[in-house]
mmCIF file of all heavy atoms in Angstrom:
data_model
loop_
_atom_site.group_PDB
_atom_site.id
_atom_site.type_symbol
_atom_site.label_atom_id
_atom_site.label_comp_id
_atom_site.label_asym_id
_atom_site.label_seq_id
_atom_site.Cartn_x
_atom_site.Cartn_y
_atom_site.Cartn_z
ATOM 1 N N ILE A 13 10.191 5.900 -8.571
ATOM 2 C CA ILE A 13 11.635 6.341 -8.460
ATOM 3 C C ILE A 13 11.667 7.822 -8.711
ATOM 4 O O ILE A 13 12.356 8.538 -8.015
ATOM 5 C CB ILE A 13 12.520 5.590 -9.484
ATOM 6 C CG1 ILE A 13 12.545 4.064 -9.203
ATOM 7 C CG2 ILE A 13 13.916 6.173 -9.539
ATOM 8 C CD1 ILE A 13 13.315 3.264 -10.203
ATOM 9 N N ALA A 14 10.914 8.316 -9.658
ATOM 10 C CA ALA A 14 10.879 9.709 -9.972
ATOM 11 C C ALA A 14 10.371 10.535 -8.761
ATOM 12 O O ALA A 14 10.796 11.657 -8.495
ATOM 13 C CB ALA A 14 10.082 10.067 -11.243
ATOM 14 N N ASP A 15 9.519 9.891 -7.968
ATOM 15 C CA ASP A 15 8.944 10.537 -6.841
ATOM 16 C C ASP A 15 9.919 10.711 -5.685
ATOM 17 O O ASP A 15 9.918 11.661 -4.954
ATOM 18 C CB ASP A 15 7.703 9.787 -6.378
ATOM 19 C CG ASP A 15 6.656 10.629 -5.681
ATOM 20 O OD1 ASP A 15 6.595 11.819 -6.009
ATOM 21 O OD2 ASP A 15 5.994 10.147 -4.823
ATOM 22 N N ILE A 16 10.716 9.634 -5.497
ATOM 23 C CA ILE A 16 11.679 9.585 -4.336
ATOM 24 C C ILE A 16 13.023 10.302 -4.697
ATOM 25 O O ILE A 16 13.653 10.757 -3.751
ATOM 26 C CB ILE A 16 11.999 8.228 -3.929
ATOM 27 C CG1 ILE A 16 12.665 7.379 -4.972
ATOM 28 C CG2 ILE A 16 10.762 7.464 -3.446
ATOM 29 C CD1 ILE A 16 13.100 5.966 -4.620
ATOM 30 N N GLN A 17 13.330 10.519 -5.897
ATOM 31 C CA GLN A 17 14.488 11.198 -6.266
ATOM 32 C C GLN A 17 14.201 12.364 -7.224
ATOM 33 O O GLN A 17 14.100 12.318 -8.430
ATOM 34 C CB GLN A 17 15.498 10.249 -7.058
ATOM 35 C CG GLN A 17 16.338 9.476 -6.074
ATOM 36 C CD GLN A 17 17.344 10.326 -5.332
ATOM 37 O OE1 GLN A 17 17.575 11.446 -5.627
ATOM 38 N NE2 GLN A 17 18.072 9.751 -4.407
ATOM 39 N N THR A 18 13.989 13.603 -6.613
ATOM 40 C CA THR A 18 13.557 14.778 -7.376
ATOM 41 C C THR A 18 14.784 15.538 -7.838
ATOM 42 O O THR A 18 14.605 16.525 -8.577
ATOM 43 C CB THR A 18 12.691 15.658 -6.505
ATOM 44 O OG1 THR A 18 13.407 16.015 -5.296
ATOM 45 C CG2 THR A 18 11.447 14.922 -6.118
ATOM 46 N N ASN A 19 16.017 15.165 -7.489
ATOM 47 C CA ASN A 19 17.140 15.897 -7.915
ATOM 48 C C ASN A 19 17.417 15.669 -9.430
ATOM 49 O O ASN A 19 17.144 14.544 -9.967
ATOM 50 C CB ASN A 19 18.460 15.365 -7.225
ATOM 51 C CG ASN A 19 19.553 16.356 -7.281
ATOM 52 O OD1 ASN A 19 19.359 17.515 -6.944
ATOM 53 N ND2 ASN A 19 20.720 15.811 -7.641
ATOM 54 N N GLU A 20 17.911 16.646 -10.095
ATOM 55 C CA GLU A 20 18.065 16.593 -11.553
ATOM 56 C C GLU A 20 19.223 15.592 -11.857
ATOM 57 O O GLU A 20 19.153 15.000 -12.955
ATOM 58 C CB GLU A 20 18.424 17.989 -12.157
ATOM 59 C CG GLU A 20 17.239 18.926 -12.002
ATOM 60 C CD GLU A 20 17.536 20.341 -12.648
ATOM 61 O OE1 GLU A 20 18.713 20.486 -13.046
ATOM 62 O OE2 GLU A 20 16.677 21.233 -12.636
ATOM 63 N N SER A 21 20.210 15.399 -11.096
ATOM 64 C CA SER A 21 21.344 14.627 -11.448
ATOM 65 C C SER A 21 21.471 13.524 -10.356
ATOM 66 O O SER A 21 21.487 13.773 -9.158
ATOM 67 C CB SER A 21 22.544 15.465 -11.472
ATOM 68 O OG SER A 21 23.695 14.701 -11.751
ATOM 69 N N VAL A 22 21.566 12.321 -10.809
ATOM 70 C CA VAL A 22 21.682 11.173 -9.843
ATOM 71 C C VAL A 22 22.744 10.188 -10.350
ATOM 72 O O VAL A 22 23.142 10.191 -11.498
ATOM 73 C CB VAL A 22 20.351 10.364 -9.704
ATOM 74 C CG1 VAL A 22 19.239 11.228 -9.162
ATOM 75 C CG2 VAL A 22 19.952 9.731 -11.008
ATOM 76 N N SER A 23 23.205 9.307 -9.458
ATOM 77 C CA SER A 23 24.069 8.190 -9.816
ATOM 78 C C SER A 23 23.418 6.894 -9.230
ATOM 79 O O SER A 23 22.804 6.987 -8.173
ATOM 80 C CB SER A 23 25.426 8.362 -9.335
ATOM 81 O OG SER A 23 26.080 9.524 -9.803
ATOM 82 N N ALA A 24 23.562 5.775 -9.937
ATOM 83 C CA ALA A 24 22.807 4.653 -9.561
ATOM 84 C C ALA A 24 23.598 3.305 -9.820
ATOM 85 O O ALA A 24 24.428 3.296 -10.723
ATOM 86 C CB ALA A 24 21.472 4.526 -10.272
ATOM 87 N N VAL A 25 23.406 2.378 -8.834
ATOM 88 C CA VAL A 25 24.111 1.101 -8.976
ATOM 89 C C VAL A 25 22.970 0.051 -8.863
ATOM 90 O O VAL A 25 22.054 0.106 -8.066
ATOM 91 C CB VAL A 25 25.142 0.837 -7.793
ATOM 92 C CG1 VAL A 25 25.640 -0.552 -7.815
ATOM 93 C CG2 VAL A 25 26.263 1.844 -7.958
ATOM 94 N N SER A 26 23.185 -1.107 -9.642
ATOM 95 C CA SER A 26 22.236 -2.109 -9.671
ATOM 96 C C SER A 26 22.996 -3.466 -9.394
ATOM 97 O O SER A 26 24.118 -3.664 -9.905
ATOM 98 C CB SER A 26 21.504 -2.254 -11.018
ATOM 99 O OG SER A 26 20.789 -3.504 -11.040
ATOM 100 N N GLN A 27 22.341 -4.385 -8.538
ATOM 101 C CA GLN A 27 22.897 -5.653 -8.423
ATOM 102 C C GLN A 27 21.813 -6.746 -8.316
ATOM 103 O O GLN A 27 20.893 -6.587 -7.549
ATOM 104 C CB GLN A 27 23.777 -5.734 -7.096
ATOM 105 C CG GLN A 27 24.581 -6.994 -6.890
ATOM 106 C CD GLN A 27 25.597 -6.800 -5.875
ATOM 107 O OE1 GLN A 27 25.590 -5.888 -5.103
ATOM 108 N NE2 GLN A 27 26.502 -7.748 -5.861
ATOM 109 N N GLY A 28 21.837 -7.786 -9.137
ATOM 110 C CA GLY A 28 20.944 -8.863 -9.128
ATOM 111 C C GLY A 28 21.248 -9.922 -8.122
ATOM 112 O O GLY A 28 22.474 -10.075 -7.849
ATOM 113 N N PHE A 29 20.288 -10.601 -7.654
ATOM 114 C CA PHE A 29 20.566 -11.691 -6.744
ATOM 115 C C PHE A 29 19.549 -12.864 -6.933
ATOM 116 O O PHE A 29 18.393 -12.544 -7.448
ATOM 117 C CB PHE A 29 20.529 -11.232 -5.255
ATOM 118 C CG PHE A 29 19.258 -10.443 -4.832
ATOM 119 C CD1 PHE A 29 18.072 -11.142 -4.332
ATOM 120 C CD2 PHE A 29 19.249 -9.076 -4.983
ATOM 121 C CE1 PHE A 29 16.999 -10.373 -4.021
ATOM 122 C CE2 PHE A 29 18.076 -8.339 -4.675
ATOM 123 C CZ PHE A 29 16.939 -9.037 -4.150
ATOM 124 N N ILE A 30 19.896 -14.028 -6.549
ATOM 125 C CA ILE A 30 19.022 -15.243 -6.805
ATOM 126 C C ILE A 30 19.290 -16.327 -5.743
ATOM 127 O O ILE A 30 20.367 -16.496 -5.333
ATOM 128 C CB ILE A 30 19.206 -15.757 -8.187
ATOM 129 C CG1 ILE A 30 18.235 -16.770 -8.593
ATOM 130 C CG2 ILE A 30 20.651 -16.276 -8.423
ATOM 131 C CD1 ILE A 30 18.206 -17.103 -10.088
ATOM 132 N N SER A 31 18.121 -16.982 -5.529
ATOM 133 C CA SER A 31 18.261 -18.181 -4.652
ATOM 134 C C SER A 31 17.199 -19.156 -5.195
ATOM 135 O O SER A 31 16.652 -19.012 -6.258
ATOM 136 C CB SER A 31 17.865 -17.920 -3.248
ATOM 137 O OG SER A 31 17.995 -19.046 -2.383
ATOM 138 N N ALA A 32 16.981 -20.332 -4.590
ATOM 139 C CA ALA A 32 16.111 -21.299 -5.114
ATOM 140 C C ALA A 32 14.611 -20.749 -5.121
ATOM 141 O O ALA A 32 14.041 -20.588 -4.019
ATOM 142 C CB ALA A 32 16.193 -22.532 -4.197
ATOM 143 N N GLY A 33 14.214 -20.388 -6.226
ATOM 144 C CA GLY A 33 12.767 -20.011 -6.475
ATOM 145 C C GLY A 33 12.620 -18.518 -6.174
ATOM 146 O O GLY A 33 11.492 -17.959 -6.442
ATOM 147 N N ILE A 34 13.634 -17.743 -5.647
ATOM 148 C CA ILE A 34 13.486 -16.340 -5.416
ATOM 149 C C ILE A 34 14.649 -15.601 -6.082
ATOM 150 O O ILE A 34 15.780 -15.970 -6.004
ATOM 151 C CB ILE A 34 13.636 -16.071 -3.850
ATOM 152 C CG1 ILE A 34 12.421 -16.827 -3.184
ATOM 153 C CG2 ILE A 34 13.491 -14.554 -3.612
ATOM 154 C CD1 ILE A 34 12.515 -16.699 -1.679
ATOM 155 N N ASN A 35 14.262 -14.601 -6.799
ATOM 156 C CA ASN A 35 15.298 -13.745 -7.403
ATOM 157 C C ASN A 35 14.815 -12.228 -7.326
ATOM 158 O O ASN A 35 13.700 -11.994 -7.010
ATOM 159 C CB ASN A 35 15.581 -14.058 -8.885
ATOM 160 C CG ASN A 35 14.398 -13.777 -9.756
ATOM 161 O OD1 ASN A 35 13.327 -14.482 -9.790
ATOM 162 N ND2 ASN A 35 14.487 -12.774 -10.603
ATOM 163 N N GLY A 36 15.744 -11.357 -7.488
ATOM 164 C CA GLY A 36 15.414 -9.888 -7.338
ATOM 165 C C GLY A 36 16.517 -9.045 -7.761
ATOM 166 O O GLY A 36 17.592 -9.542 -8.267
ATOM 167 N N GLU A 37 16.406 -7.771 -7.638
ATOM 168 C CA GLU A 37 17.384 -6.804 -8.030
ATOM 169 C C GLU A 37 17.362 -5.689 -6.932
ATOM 170 O O GLU A 37 16.303 -5.286 -6.400
ATOM 171 C CB GLU A 37 17.013 -6.196 -9.324
ATOM 172 C CG GLU A 37 18.055 -5.112 -9.832
ATOM 173 C CD GLU A 37 17.640 -4.567 -11.189
ATOM 174 O OE1 GLU A 37 16.494 -4.943 -11.723
ATOM 175 O OE2 GLU A 37 18.424 -3.776 -11.699
ATOM 176 N N ALA A 38 18.572 -5.227 -6.640
ATOM 177 C CA ALA A 38 18.669 -4.101 -5.676
ATOM 178 C C ALA A 38 19.271 -2.890 -6.491
ATOM 179 O O ALA A 38 20.183 -3.028 -7.214
ATOM 180 C CB ALA A 38 19.678 -4.391 -4.564
ATOM 181 N N LEU A 39 18.632 -1.774 -6.228
ATOM 182 C CA LEU A 39 19.064 -0.506 -6.883
ATOM 183 C C LEU A 39 19.413 0.451 -5.684
ATOM 184 O O LEU A 39 18.652 0.706 -4.761
ATOM 185 C CB LEU A 39 17.982 0.135 -7.681
ATOM 186 C CG LEU A 39 17.509 -0.590 -8.907
ATOM 187 C CD1 LEU A 39 16.249 0.112 -9.448
ATOM 188 C CD2 LEU A 39 18.609 -0.699 -9.934
#
């Protein structure tokens, strides 16, 4: 993440998701 966003100031949103046997998070 530090490599792809080199700007000093950022804003970020997170959202989790889930299905049968599969879960994850989107940032």
